[in-house]
Amino acid sequence: MREISYTDALREALREEMARDATVFVLGEDIAEYGGAFGVTRGLLDAYGSQRVLNTPISEPGFTGAAIGAALTGTRPVVEIMFMDFIGLVTDQLVNQAAKLHYVLGEQAPCPLVVRTAGGGGRCYGPTHSQTLEAWFMHVPGIKIVVPSTPADAKGLLKTAIRDDNPVLFIEHKMLYSRRGNVLEGDAALLPFGRARCITEGDDLTMIAWSWMSAEAEAAAKELEAGGVSVDLFDPRTLAPLDMAPLEESVRKTGRALIVEEGCRTAGVSAEIACRLFECVHEYLDAPIRRLASPDVPVPASPVLEEAMIPDRNAIVQAAIELVQS
Amino acid sequence: MGWTLTLCTTYDSTSVRDETRWENIRAPNSESKTKEFRLQGRTCMYRKIRCAMQELIDHYRTMLVIRFFEEEVEDLFSQGVVKGTTHPAIGQEAVAVGACAALRPGDYVTSTHRGHGHFLARGGDPKRIMAELFGKQSGYSGGRGGSQFMADFSLGFLGGNGITGGSIPVATGAALSAKLQASEQIALCFFGDGAANQGTFHESLNLVAIWKLPVVYVCENNMYAMSMPVGDAFAVTDIADRAAGYGFPGVVVDGNDPIAVQRAVETAAERARQGEGATLIECKTYRLSGHSRGDQRHYRTREEEARARAADPILRLREMLSADGTLSDEDDVSLKDEARRVVSDAVTFAQESEYPDPTTLEKGVFA
C-alpha cells in the first residue's frame, strides 16, 4: 500500500495495463509530450513510444471512431477526451457505433474500448468545460459507466475497464485529481464493476453519492456524525452496471434516502436510483426519497454562481438534517 | 487473355475545373498503350488493360447475382414480405465487384447503408444476407441488424452502417490496428457521395494521412445523396479532389467499369501495403433504383434515368464480352439462370429459417 494521488493512480493503471498487454494503446489530444490536459498520461510516451501513445489532432469524432474500429479488430484502445463536455462531439460514435455494434452484428466481435474523460465543475471553467453528463449515457444500452472517487477506485476500475470487452465510459473528476489515497500494485489493485462501496455505516439515513459528490458527502457524513446523525454512505462507483442491492438493503434499515448528484436534477442519475429504490423498498420508507442535485441551468463561469449551483458538503448536511427531521 | 481499354481520369489539382462529364471510351482494336492527354482541362490517361477473360466472366457472374438479389429484395419489400427498409445498389455493381476483386483475403472492408453488393462481392453468403433481411435467426446478425448492419469478421467484412459515413472512422481504426499489429492487411472503405460531406469523412482522411495508414477509400459517387444531386452538394466537380487537401492522391475512375475500378484499387492497395498511405478513388456511377423503398424519384427525370440505363454496367460488360466472342448468348442465359438460382435459393433459405427466439432479446448487449 502506498499513498498516491488520483492522477498518479490513473497513470499507474495505464502503465501497468500497457506493460501487461501489448494491444493496449492510448490516443487523444495532447497526451504525448504534454502528458494530457490533467497530466494523467505524463511519461507514457517515453515508456511506450509514439506507436502506442498517439497524439491526435482536434478531431474527437474521427479518433474516437478510429478507436472503435481498432477495438473491433483486436486491440484495446484507451481514448482521452480532454473535457467531458466534448463528449457531445462523439455521442454518435459512442451511442450509434460503440454501444450497438456487438449486439447488432450478432455478437461477432467485442468492442473493448475505454473512453476516459474529465467531468464536473468546481474550477470555474465555464459552461462547456464543467458539465456532469453521465445521465446521458445511462440511457444507452451497451455502455458501461465508471465514476471513481478515490485513487484506489480510479486505479482498480481503470485496470478493469481496460480488460473489459465492452465500451466503457470512464469519468474522472477535475476536483479529485489531487485527492490522495492508498493503492495496491498489479492485479491486487483490480476492482470489479457493479460493486458499491460503503464509506460510512449508520442508521439514520442512507446517502448515495459518486465522483466528487462522494468526497463531499464523506465530509458531510463526518459532520453529521459529530452532530449525532449517523449515515450509511454508499458510492456506487459504476453507474452501469448499478449495484442496487446494498442500497436497497440500507434503505430497509434506515427508512430514509438522500441521493446527491452534481449533474442537473431533471432526468438525472438520482431520478433513476430513486425510482429503483421506490420500486423495491417503498414500504420501508419513512420519508420521501430526497434528491440533491444541481438546478437545471448551464454551469456559469463566475465562482459565486458556480458555487451556488453545485451541491457541496454544507448543502448535503442541510438536506440530510431536513430529511432526518421529516 | 483479352484486352479492355479503359479511360482513367487522374485529377490534376492545377488544372482548371470544368463541367467535364465522365465517360468510358473503349477501342478494342487500338494499339495504344498508356497515353496521357488533356481533355477539357484535366489530365487523362488511356490505359490498355490486360486481363484474363475468365476474370471478366467471374465479375459478370457476381454482378448478376448482386443485380438479381437487389431486384428480388425490392420486390419482397414492395410486397411487404420483408419489413423495414433497404437501399438497393442496382447500377453500382461494378464498383463493389471491381474493388473487392483487388483485395487479399484478410483485408478489411467497411461498407455503407447500401451494402448488400459489397458484402456479396466480398464473398458473403447470399442465404445468410437474405435471411438477415427477413429478420431470421440464420441471418448474419441473427435478425438484429437488418439491411444496414451485417458483417462477417471471418471475411474481414466489418459491416454496413445505418449512419451515413458511420463506417469511415471504423476503417481508420481497422487500418490502425493492422499497423499496430504489423500485419499486411489494408482497409478498404466504401462510402457514397453523401458521406463525403460528413465531418467524420474529413477528420478520418486527415488522421489516415498523418498516420500513413493503409486505407483505400472507394467513393461510390452515384450522383445523388438520397435526393440531393452532387452538383448541389459539392462546389467541386470531383470528390477525388478532396484527397489533395489531405496530402494523398485522388483518382476518378469510371465506376461502371469493373476493371477500371479493380486496377485503380489494386494500385492503391499496393501503395497502402508499401506504407505509402491512402488513396481516394472516386467511382462515378449511377443509382438506377430509388434511394429506398417508396422513393418516387421526383428529383430527377426519366430521360436522365434512360441515359444512365444505357450505361448500365452489366449491359456494358455483357456487350463487351459478346463482342469479342468470349460470351455466347447461350452462356449468357446459363449464367443468368445460375445467378437467379443463387437468389431464389437464398429466398427459400430465408423463408424456411426460424425467427429469433424473443426470449433472446436482451442477450448480447454486452460481450
Side-chain angles (χ1 to χ4, degrees):
Chain A
M1 281 267 206
R2 287 168 301 115
E3 192 187 274
I4 61 172
S5 73
Y6 185 91
T7 304
D8 291 340
L10 292 164
R11 191 184 307 114
E12 279 192 11
L14 290 169
R15 274 181 171 277
E16 288 177 12
E17 293 308 300
M18 290 180 82
R20 193 185 66 88
D21 181 350
T23 68
V24 177
F25 70 100
V26 295
L27 69 167
E29 293 157 5
D30 307 296
I31 64 158
E33 291 86 352
Y34 194 99
F38 296 96
V40 173
T41 57
R42 198 167 291 148
L44 293 183
L45 177 67
D46 290 340
Y48 297 105
S50 58
Q51 282 261 64
R52 294 178 68 197
V53 182
L54 282 168
N55 247 358
T56 64
I58 302 171
S59 305
E60 286 92 351
F63 67 74
T64 304
I68 293 165
L72 291 171
T73 51
T75 62
R76 292 184 177 271
V78 182
V79 171
E80 178 172 311
I81 300 289
M82 195 183 287
F83 285 84
M84 184 162 199
D85 314 69
F86 308 165
I87 213 101
L89 290 160
V90 302
T91 304
D92 182 64
Q93 297 304 321
L94 297 179
V95 173
N96 282 326
Q97 310 296 338
K100 289 182 176 43
L101 291 177
H102 180 259
Y103 182 85
V104 303
L105 294 179
E107 304 176 41
Q108 283 191 55
C111 186
L113 167 76
V114 179
V115 175
R116 290 180 40 244
T117 191
R123 286 198 178 183
C124 310
Y125 286 164
T128 58
H129 292 69
S130 306
Q131 292 173 86
T132 302
L133 302 172
E134 51 261 30
W136 289 4
F137 295 92
M138 270 186 90
H139 198 66
V140 180
I143 295 182
K144 298 187 178 182
I145 304 169
V146 184
V147 282
S149 63
T150 66
D153 288 355
K155 181 174 180 182
L157 294 169
L158 183 54
K159 286 169 70 75
T160 302
I162 293 168
R163 296 185 193 191
D164 198 285
D165 276 340
N166 298 284
V168 178
L169 179 58
F170 192 93
I171 306 170
E172 300 158 13
H173 200 293
K174 300 173 197 85
M175 297 301 284
L176 295 172
Y177 281 124
S178 58
R179 192 179 197 194
R180 297 185 69 80
N182 289 325
V183 297
L184 296 168
E185 307 293 316
D187 285 1
L190 285 166
L191 290 170
F193 286 177
R195 294 276 176 80
R197 180 165 59 89
C198 180
I199 299 172
T200 63
E201 285 186 61
D203 299 321
D204 297 325
L205 88 156
T206 302
M207 231 152 59
I208 301 153
W210 55 97
S211 193
W212 183 31
M213 291 299 104
S214 164
E216 289 296 295
E218 193 172 338
K222 280 195 185 118
E223 208 173 299
L224 287 162
E225 184 77 47
V229 177
S230 74
V231 180
D232 235 11
L233 172 60
F234 289 89
D235 181 341
R237 301 195 282 191
T238 61
L239 298 177
L242 182 58
D243 184 18
M244 286 302 297
L247 313 184
E248 291 160 13
E249 186 57 37
S250 172
V251 174
R252 283 192 196 98
K253 176 176 72 176
T254 65
R256 286 178 163 81
L258 170 64
I259 309 160
V260 186
E261 173 171 15
E262 185 179 345
C264 295
R265 179 182 177 85
T266 299
V269 176
S270 51
E272 178 64 26
I273 295 175
C275 183
R276 291 197 199 183
L277 284 174
F278 188 77
E279 283 169 341
C280 294
V281 294
H282 60 91
E283 69 270 35
Y284 295 89
L285 288 171
D286 298 324
I289 297 168
R290 174 91 192 256
R291 286 183 288 161
L292 180 64
S294 288
D296 296 338
V297 295
V299 187
S302 162
V304 172
L305 293 175
E306 191 189 51
E307 207 180 307
M309 176 179 183
I310 301 171
D312 61 7
R313 59 192 69 184
N314 298 329
I316 298 169
V317 167
Q318 193 188 331
I321 289 171
E322 285 169 13
L323 181 59
V324 172
Q325 289 172 350
S326 65
Chain B
M1 295 294 259
W3 297 86
T4 64
L5 188 64
T6 301
L7 176 72
C8 289
T9 311
T10 58
Y11 85 95
D12 175 351
S13 56
T14 60
S15 67
V16 179
R17 317 267 13 122
D18 57 23
E19 291 301 311
T20 313
R21 294 296 298 175
W22 58 278
E23 57 185 317
N24 187 50
I25 297 170
R26 199 182 312 114
N29 300 320
S30 166
E31 290 299 314
S32 64
K33 294 181 181 173
T34 302
K35 181 184 168 191
E36 280 197 4
F37 66 101
R38 302 286 290 180
L39 173 67
Q40 296 179 27
R42 75 173 70 189
T43 306
C44 296
M45 184 172 64
Y46 276 118
R47 280 205 303 178
K48 191 175 178 187
I49 290 170
R50 187 180 162 87
C51 60
M53 278 300 143
Q54 187 53 47
E55 192 176 20
L56 283 178
I57 297 278
D58 289 343
H59 288 354
Y60 184 58
R61 178 186 288 116
T62 310
M63 287 164 69
L64 286 173
V65 169
I66 296 171
R67 174 67 55 93
F68 295 151
F69 188 95
E70 296 287 59
E71 286 176 349
E72 181 65 31
V73 167
E74 276 203 317
D75 238 32
L76 292 163
F77 271 88
S78 61
Q79 292 165 30
V81 175
V82 179
K83 312 284 185 206
T85 191
T86 185
H87 304 87
I90 293 170
Q92 302 176 208
E93 298 86 352
V95 182
V97 169
C100 289
L103 297 177
R104 292 185 190 166
D107 286 340
Y108 294 115
V109 176
T110 64
S111 177
T112 69
H113 60 289
R114 201 178 302 287
H116 308 159
H118 305 148
F119 202 178
L120 289 165
R122 187 55 177 153
D125 178 353
K127 292 179 176 167
R128 295 191 63 198
I129 299 173
M130 191 64 86
E132 186 61 34
L133 299 177
F134 274 70
K136 297 295 182 77
Q137 181 60 45
S138 57
Y140 268 105
S141 306
R144 291 171 176 177
S147 170
Q148 302 177 103
F149 287 98
M150 282 186 244
D152 186 338
F153 279 67
S154 69
L155 294 172
F157 190 82
L158 305 181
N161 211 285
I163 302 293
T164 303
S167 290
I168 300 177
V170 172
T172 315
L176 178 59
S177 129
K179 188 178 177 186
L180 290 174
Q181 295 175 92
S183 81
E184 285 198 351
Q185 291 159 292
I186 64 161
L188 184 139
C189 176
F190 284 114
F191 62 99
D193 47 285
N197 282 329
Q198 289 277 35
T200 44
F201 165 81
H202 295 276
E203 294 185 10
S204 301
L205 265 64
N206 186 54
L207 287 168
V208 162
I210 61 172
W211 292 336
K212 276 226 175 224
L213 298 180
V215 179
V216 177
Y217 291 104
V218 176
C219 176
E220 289 184 282
N221 179 354
N222 66 12
M223 303 295 153
Y224 292 92
M226 193 158 156
S227 70
M228 192 172 204
V230 287
D232 293 352
F234 293 84
V236 290
T237 307
D238 296 321
I239 296 168
D241 284 0
R242 291 192 167 173
Y246 302 103
F248 57 80
V251 293
V252 176
V253 300
D254 176 355
N256 283 6
D257 179 343
I259 295 297
V261 175
Q262 182 181 347
R263 294 297 181 256
V265 174
E266 281 168 355
T267 306
E270 184 56 22
R271 256 178 59 79
R273 269 187 242 283
Q274 297 301 319
E276 291 165 31
T279 307
L280 168 55
I281 300 165
E282 179 185 359
C283 304
K284 306 262 194 189
T285 180
Y286 195 89
R287 188 191 72 217
L288 292 173
S289 54
H291 164 73
S292 62
R293 186 164 69 91
D295 178 359
Q296 301 299 309
R297 311 186 323 283
H298 294 309
Y299 48 85
R300 65 191 195 190
T301 64
R302 300 297 83 89
E303 292 72 29
E304 177 188 300
E305 291 178 351
R307 284 197 301 277
R309 267 198 302 278
D312 181 327
I314 291 180
L315 288 183
R316 270 176 37 183
L317 185 54
R318 194 208 138 183
E319 278 168 17
M320 200 197 78
L321 290 169
S322 303
D324 77 352
T326 305
L327 184 75
S328 69
D329 287 353
E330 278 178 359
D331 292 341
D332 186 44
V333 168
S334 93
L335 278 175
K336 282 177 175 153
D337 285 348
E338 182 194 325
R340 286 203 177 87
R341 202 161 45 246
V342 168
V343 174
S344 64
D345 287 352
V347 173
T348 306
F349 175 81
Q351 282 167 335
E352 289 173 354
S353 292
E354 300 291 330
Y355 280 107
D357 176 355
T359 65
T360 63
L361 174 69
E362 295 184 42
K363 183 184 164 287
V365 175
F366 290 102

